[in-house]
């Protein structure tokens, strides 16, 4: 799985550098190489054995991880804050750039986790999830009655 993951990364990178196309076809989320890389990461992490402390950290972070993606990929955030925000890193020593990129990614992750955890707490405190669930059940029941009346 790790070998396939790395191979797909190399293929995507080489295609980006040497492709005659202007679009980054193999860098999009839906490209075959990215989908395969996602699957291979899932296989790798499914087989990973972690200790109790790591499990508690994963349990704490898991509910907020999708929120991290939603927040940092929101057009306002992506366009106004993240696009070209890291161009200045290219002026540093080549060997320090990977550390700075990882540091920046961890900072973005931490800020987004904080925002999402605050949102989850606020939704729980205001009982919004319960309200959404009750509204969903009422709408579902109305639709079922309507469909029965229509003969479905």
């Amino acid at each position: 799985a790790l070998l396939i993951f790395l191979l797909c990364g190399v293929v995507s990178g080489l295609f980006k550098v040497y492709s005659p196309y202007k679009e980054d076809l193999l860098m999009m989320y839906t490209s075959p190489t990215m989908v395969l890389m996602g699957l291979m990461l899932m296989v790798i992490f499914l087989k990973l054995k972690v200790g109790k402390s790591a499990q508690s950290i994963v349990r704490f972070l898991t509910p907020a991880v999708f929120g991290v993606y939603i927040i940092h990929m929101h057009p306002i955030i992506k366009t106004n804050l993240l696009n070209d925000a890291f161009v200045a890193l290219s002026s540093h020593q080549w060997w320090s750039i990977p550390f700075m990129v990882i540091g920046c990614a961890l900072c973005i992750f931490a800020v987004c986790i904080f925002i999402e955890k605050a949102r989850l707490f606020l939704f729980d405190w205001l009982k919004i999830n319960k309200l959404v669930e009750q509204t969903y059940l009422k709408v579902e029941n109305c639709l079922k009655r309507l469909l029965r009346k229509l003969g479905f």
Side-chain angles (χ1 to χ4, degrees):
L2 182 60
L3 184 63
I4 293 171
F5 174 81
L6 294 172
L7 182 64
C8 287
V10 168
V11 167
S12 295
L14 289 173
F15 190 82
K16 179 177 174 57
V17 173
Y18 295 110
S19 171
Y21 303 106
K22 290 192 184 255
E23 299 90 24
D24 293 333
L25 295 174
L26 294 184
M27 293 298 197
M28 295 188 290
Y29 289 123
T30 55
S31 77
T33 54
M34 292 299 155
V35 171
L36 195 54
M37 287 174 76
L39 289 170
M40 291 305 106
L41 279 177
M42 187 177 72
V43 167
I44 290 167
F45 283 107
L46 280 173
K47 293 182 178 192
L48 192 65
K49 303 288 185 233
V50 294
K52 294 278 185 194
S53 58
Q55 286 179 6
S56 63
I57 292 169
V58 169
R59 270 193 219 103
F60 175 76
L61 294 176
T62 299
V65 171
F66 185 64
V68 171
Y69 169 76
I70 296 296
I71 293 166
H72 93 277
M73 290 305 292
H74 189 280
I76 293 173
I77 302 296
K78 187 177 177 207
T79 303
N80 297 325
L81 294 178
L82 297 178
N83 278 359
D84 299 327
F86 306 103
V87 172
L89 295 182
S90 64
S91 65
H92 290 80
Q93 297 289 327
W94 67 269
W95 55 266
S96 67
I97 293 173
F99 297 105
M100 289 188 282
V101 167
I102 290 169
C104 290
L106 287 174
C107 287
I108 291 168
F109 183 80
V111 168
C112 292
I113 282 285
F114 176 78
I115 292 169
E116 182 62 10
K117 282 296 204 176
R119 187 199 64 80
L120 289 169
F121 172 78
L122 186 64
F123 273 44
D124 189 44
W125 185 64
L126 295 173
K127 301 194 183 343
I128 290 174
N129 291 338
K130 240 179 213 178
L131 178 66
V132 169
E133 187 176 325
Q134 290 169 352
T135 304
Y136 168 78
L137 290 174
K138 286 180 183 178
V139 169
E140 183 183 40
N141 287 333
C142 287
L143 287 173
K144 282 181 181 178
R145 282 194 304 260
L146 178 66
L147 288 172
R148 270 194 303 258
K149 284 182 181 180
L150 294 173
F152 290 103

